[in-house]
Amino acid sequence: MHVTIVGCGYIGLELARQLREDGHDVVGVRRSQEGLDAVKMTGARAVAADATDPDSLTVLPDTDAVVFAASSGGRGADAARAVYVEGLRNVIREYGDRTERPDRLVYTSSTGVYGDHEGDWVDESTPLDPQTEKTRVLAEAERVAHEEASEYGIDGTVVRYAGLYGPNRYRLHRYIEGPVTEGYLNMIHRDDAAGVVRFLLEADLAHDDVVLAVDDEPVDKWTFADWLADECGVDRPEKRTKAERIAAGDLSTPAKRRIETSKRCSNERLRELGYEFRFPTYREGYCAAIEGFRVE
């Protein structure tokens, strides 16, 4: 199989490594020289292009599958729209206008599109209720991945990621130093985030469908912080309620909405499809971070 990963960053690089290990041909697309060098280190071929610049996309190779994993770099809604909606649309049109089109597109989205469910469970059948400008952009990008790709005969798959963590993104000190605000954590390790896409491509599953990518155990933040502190051999952190955090008055509107948003994400569908996690829960996923902390 030939796979092209547009926006071959944190998840894309790991996906490239996994696909190369399985013997597939992989192209990683980045804008910067530093990014291209990182792609080469995975064994994939590096191609310089920018999803927000349609003219640059003519260099993309013909491919069996396109994975759109580009990031807006944590910037605001306008930057997100430029990348996730217009950038995705540019890639679809570039491939859609070719004689040899990919069979499928995988777009990596976020569980942020669900909005607030007051701690209740959500799954692929739960109606979307994005509550910020950025998550509304993500929901629109999902529509583009399904509907506009379909217009060119390309099957669109949406993978909704829970909170990503892993090497360089454990954010250990945030939880062991505190204070920790109440709520649920829905997480997936980087290796499994990439592994889910690899699995769907190799098993040829979830065409024109949505898959929620989250590990087996959404966890209360206070419970997680106490467990982490105990494992690291430090005092348990200070806790605060949502009301206490909001009352401090120093939150932006998007940050306040994030704190008010609460849900637990189910991976029942992913498990039914047959995916086996490398890190089924945070307990396995944080082992390396805890060992590193103890050494320090």
Side-chain angles (χ1 to χ4, degrees), residues 101 137 147 174 184 239:
R101 298 170 182 166
V137 167
E147 297 179 7
R174 173 190 297 179
Y184 282 108
K239 316 294 194 309

Side-chain angles (χ1 to χ4, degrees), residues 172-178 180 225 228-229 232 234-237 293:
L172 204 68
H173 291 279
R174 173 190 297 179
Y175 293 103
I176 61 176
E177 294 175 359
V180 178
L228 201 56
C232 289
V234 300
D235 293 338
R236 291 182 171 186
F293 180 87

Side-chain angles (χ1 to χ4, degrees), residues 115-122 184 242 260-264:
D116 180 35
H117 288 266
E118 299 182 342
D120 285 344
W121 288 91
V122 301
Y184 282 108
K242 293 182 179 182
E260 293 172 333
T261 297
S262 181
K263 59 185 176 289
R264 285 174 287 172

